[in-house]
């Protein structure tokens, strides 16, 4: 089966619904959208089953030469190796489930055809990104998912908060993309190519300083797309989009693009140790930083949004310490349980008639038992409960972190305890106690619950079923804690599990057994709690240091001085002078024949005199 068919199918769905969807029924729109993604997943499975050993013979398809200048060529090329195949399975598999779920979630929303057209377009660009055989084609997909993110976050465009969030995501990602574009220029200059199969094998022979510069610029792009500090601020606000958008773009696919790009560029990073250390430090800091904010949030989607930022930090930690396969493993398992958390949150919001504040929920286990069950599975997985999917991938990263630097392990394991606490805090506040909301809560339909059940199974068993480090062992070495003569993998795993269980137990104590404890702790912490609850005032700091000065500078310098003062002054001055000259010249146009005859005589005399003077000379 041709590789181009994998992204082409969702693109056809986008074209059909985008052009004709207004005239279609919702049922036909959803059939086209879902079928296009499911068929794309089937095409991926066909390639997977028929490709043979991708470690020995990766697939390559060249369709046409896109850019050529002398010896420099860029083709529209697709490559498939084991890493690509894993990403394709995640994107199309999870994407199919989310599309099915969305048919129920968006059933009564306006712009139904437009929503699914955007979703299909997103799938096309994400699959192009993953299949790309060179950095420039990857960048096309990279920019495309950024565009679709803007469209989907701002889907409810009549809400100012939604359009503002869409703009914020787009602008912040442009900062990261500028770094990525500079990296591509430097790669082209250094290697004379942007093709992965030419650049990556030659990385070992290039100067360390050059590779470090390339890697750091790539990291800037990755921080924007994968919401790492300091470019993480767009992702929590992105929850303004419909909940299926949160699951598709901001949990399972788009935000993992940065991790994928760094992993794909592993030969460059491996030979740039300073860049590797920077990746690890940024990932670890982001994981801790976002986890502390997640402890204090009450909007159920915001809790899971900061959890996404934190879990992406774990992936970057894995990449930074050289455990690339462990980072990809967590990327996959995170796709399972985080998509489930967001879609489960959507089911909860549906049950509570649009309410997102957990303080106005409670007792939903009686009204939405299936949603309660599947969210329990997701919460266990993200908490790293033994033998769930998150348990395997998280501990693989923590073990590699210990091998790199033991203190990183300890920071990471404390963060894991915080993660278990705030996710289960959300669970208890949502499903335990008495219902505190409005209206009568209800369970979701099975078109929504069906995908949740599949994701629940993957959240529990996915880590065991897909041993990514073993699958990618030919591409990346497996790093373990024992590489550094540590206390042993079992001991480190036991500590991690103990802190996870402690986080779950503490959340149960505070939000089920004795609900007065949180208020007492909040009062005791005072300003510290206020600081964390307000997300460390980072948005306010950006607003004061960057946004407002840019706006004020634009108004005072660019608008009032440059535009109105200088440019308009020149244009208006020219107009005024022309008007003044015209006022003088119109005196000649009096309409009086005697006046015209006089001017003709005067003109004739002037001409004759001028000729005479010229002849005399």
């Amino acid at each position: 089966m041709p590789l181009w068919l994998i992204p082409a199918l969702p693109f056809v769905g986008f074209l059909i619904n985008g052009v004709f969807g207004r005239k279609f029924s919702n049922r036909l729109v959803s059939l086209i959208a879902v079928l296009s993604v499911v068929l794309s997943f089937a095409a991926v499975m066909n390639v997977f089953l028929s490709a043979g050993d991708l470690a020995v013979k990766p697939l390559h398809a060249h369709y046409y030469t896109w850019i050529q200048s002398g010896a420099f060529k860029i083709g529209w090329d697709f490559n498939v190796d084991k890493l690509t195949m894993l990403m394709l399975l995640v994107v199309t598999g999870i994407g199919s489930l989310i599309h099915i779920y969305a048919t129920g979630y968006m059933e009564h929303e306006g712009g139904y055809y437009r929503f699914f057209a955007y979703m299909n377009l997103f799938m096309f660009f994400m699959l192009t990104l993953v299949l790309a055989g060179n950095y420039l084609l990857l960048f096309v997909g990279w920019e495309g998912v950024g565009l679709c993110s803007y469209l989907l976050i701002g889907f409810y465009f009549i809400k100012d908060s939604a359009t503002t969030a869409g703009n914020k995501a787009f602008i912040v990602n442009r900062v990261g993309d500028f770094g990525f574009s500079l990296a591509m220029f430097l790669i082209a200059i250094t290697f004379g190519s942007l093709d992965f199969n030419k650049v990556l094998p030659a990385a070992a022979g290039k100067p360390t300083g050059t590779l470090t510069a390339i890697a750091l610029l790539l990291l800037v792009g990755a921080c924007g797309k994968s919401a790492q500090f300091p470019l993480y601020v767009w992702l929590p606000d992105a929850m303004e989009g419909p909940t299926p958008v949160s699951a598709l773009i901001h949990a399972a696919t788009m935000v993992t693009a940065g991790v994928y790009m760094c992993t794909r560029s592993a030969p460059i990073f491996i030979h740039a140790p300073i860049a590797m250390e920077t990746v690890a430090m940024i990932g670890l800091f982001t994981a801790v930083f976002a986890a502390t904010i997640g402890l204090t949030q009450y909007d159920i989607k915001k809790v899971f949004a900061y959890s996404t930022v934190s879990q992406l930090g774990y992936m970057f930690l894995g990449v930074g310490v050289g455990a690339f396969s462990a980072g990809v493993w967590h990327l996959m398992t995170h796709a399972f349980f985080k998509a489930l958390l967001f879609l489960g949150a959507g089911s909860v919001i549906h049950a509570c008639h649009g309410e997102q504040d957990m303080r106005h929920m409670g007792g939903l286990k009686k009204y939405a038992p299936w949603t309660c069950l599947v969210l329990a599975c997701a919460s266990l997985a993200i908490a790293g409960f033994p033998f769930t999917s998150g348990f395997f991938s998280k501990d693989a990263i923590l073990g590699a972190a210990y091998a790199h630097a033991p203190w990183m392990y300890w920071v990471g394991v404390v963060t894991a305890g915080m993660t278990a606490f705030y996710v289960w805090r959300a669970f208890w506040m949502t499903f335990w106690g008495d219902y505190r909301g409005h209206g009568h809560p209800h369970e979701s339909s099975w078109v929504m619950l069906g995908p949740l059940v599949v994701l629940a199974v993957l959240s529990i068993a996915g880590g065991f079923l897909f041993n990514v480090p073993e699958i990618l062992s030919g591409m990346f070495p497996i790093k373990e804690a024992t590489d550094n003569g540590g206390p042993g993998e079992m001991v480190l795993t036991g500590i991690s599990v103990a802190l996870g269980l402690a986080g779950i137990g503490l959340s149960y104590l505070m939000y089920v057994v004795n609900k007065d404890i949180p208020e007492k702790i909040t009062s005791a912490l005072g300003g510290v709690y206020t600081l964390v609850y307000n997300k460390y005032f980072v948005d306010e700091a950006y607003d004061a240091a960057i946004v407002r000065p840019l706006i004020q500078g634009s108004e005072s310098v660019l608008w009032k001085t440059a535009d109105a003062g200088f440019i308009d002054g020149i244009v208006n001055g020219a107009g005024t002078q022309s008007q003044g000259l015209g006022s003088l010249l119109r005196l000649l146009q009096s309409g009086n024949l005697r006046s015209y005859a006089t001017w003709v005589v005067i003109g004739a005399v002037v001409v004759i005199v001028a000729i005479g003077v010229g002849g005399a000379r």
Side-chain angles (χ1 to χ4, degrees), residues 227-229 232 236 282-298 302-314 338 382 394 410-426 511 529 531-533 535-536:
Q228 295 297 283
F229 188 88
Y232 72 94
I282 287 177
L284 187 60
F285 177 80
T286 304
V288 179
F289 182 81
T292 59
I293 298 175
L295 295 171
T296 62
Q297 301 303 299
Y298 289 102
K302 286 288 182 71
V303 172
F304 296 153
Y306 281 104
S307 170
T308 297
V309 177
S310 182
Q311 294 301 304
L312 287 164
Y314 270 111
K338 186 53 62 65
I382 194 173
K394 179 200 68 176
W410 291 109
V411 175
V413 82
V414 170
T415 304
M418 288 193 289
T419 301
F421 175 84
Y422 67 69
V423 170
W424 279 90
R425 165 183 175 265
Y511 291 94
Y529 177 83
L531 178 67
V532 178
Y533 177 74
K535 300 160 283 188
Y536 297 98

Side-chain angles (χ1 to χ4, degrees), residues 516-530:
D516 294 330
I517 296 177
E519 186 175 348
K520 293 178 181 178
I521 293 176
T522 299
S523 300
L525 290 175
V528 174
Y529 177 83
T530 302

Side-chain angles (χ1 to χ4, degrees), residues 499-521:
L499 281 177
L501 293 176
I504 296 173
L506 186 60
S507 66
Y508 182 80
L509 173 65
M510 294 173 60
Y511 291 94
V512 177
V513 177
N514 190 345
K515 298 180 182 179
D516 294 330
I517 296 177
E519 186 175 348
K520 293 178 181 178
I521 293 176

Side-chain angles (χ1 to χ4, degrees), residues 76-347:
W76 196 278
D77 297 347
F78 286 163
N79 287 344
V80 176
D81 56 14
K82 286 190 173 183
L83 176 60
T84 306
M85 183 55 65
L86 285 173
M87 290 296 297
L88 289 174
L89 289 170
V90 169
V91 173
T92 57
I94 303 299
S96 296
L97 294 173
I98 294 171
H99 273 71
I100 294 169
Y101 173 97
T103 62
Y105 188 89
M106 300 296 292
E107 185 177 6
H108 303 294
E109 298 284 354
Y112 191 84
Y113 79 95
R114 180 168 53 87
F115 174 81
F116 279 102
Y118 292 163
M119 291 279 277
N120 277 173
L121 183 62
F122 171 80
M123 291 294 295
F124 163 73
F125 279 122
M126 189 66 198
L127 291 169
T128 300
L129 185 157
V130 171
L131 284 164
N134 57 68
Y135 281 102
L136 189 59
L137 187 55
L138 186 152
F139 192 68
V140 170
W142 186 276
E143 290 295 278
V145 295
L147 168 65
C148 294
S149 176
Y150 163 77
L151 294 172
L152 286 165
I153 293 168
F155 178 76
Y156 299 125
F157 55 82
I158 60 174
K159 291 172 56 181
D160 286 341
S161 58
T163 56
T164 300
N167 290 334
K168 187 175 183 179
F170 193 79
I171 293 168
V172 172
N173 271 275
R174 296 292 71 71
V175 176
D177 296 350
F178 180 66
F180 192 174
S181 62
L182 291 179
M184 285 195 296
F185 285 124
L186 192 51
I187 290 171
I189 292 170
T190 304
F191 295 91
S193 176
L194 290 174
D195 291 346
F196 295 141
N197 57 13
K198 294 180 180 178
V199 171
L200 301 180
K206 300 301 179 181
T208 301
T210 303
L211 295 177
T212 300
I214 292 171
L216 290 175
L217 288 170
L218 289 174
L219 176 60
V220 173
C223 285
K225 197 65 68 184
S226 293
Q228 295 297 283
F229 188 88
L231 301 179
Y232 72 94
V233 290
W234 66 271
L235 193 143
D237 288 2
M239 299 303 107
E240 290 290 341
T243 300
V245 173
S246 303
L248 180 65
I249 297 181
H250 307 298
T253 50
M254 173 181 159
V255 294
T256 62
V259 181
Y260 167 75
M261 184 264 287
C262 290
T263 304
R264 173 62 66 198
S265 306
I268 294 175
F269 281 89
I270 288 173
H271 293 93
I274 294 176
M276 288 279 284
E277 194 70 20
T278 304
V279 172
M281 294 292 288
I282 287 177
L284 187 60
F285 177 80
T286 304
V288 179
F289 182 81
T292 59
I293 298 175
L295 295 171
T296 62
Q297 301 303 299
Y298 289 102
D299 184 315
I300 189 169
K301 287 177 69 176
K302 286 288 182 71
V303 172
F304 296 153
Y306 281 104
S307 170
T308 297
V309 177
S310 182
Q311 294 301 304
L312 287 164
Y314 270 111
M315 298 176 210
F316 275 87
L317 174 62
V319 170
V321 300
F324 293 96
S325 57
V328 175
W329 201 4
H330 201 57
L331 183 157
M332 174 176 277
T333 60
H334 175 263
F336 300 153
F337 59 70
K338 186 53 62 65
L340 178 54
L341 284 171
F342 273 120
L343 296 184
S347 184

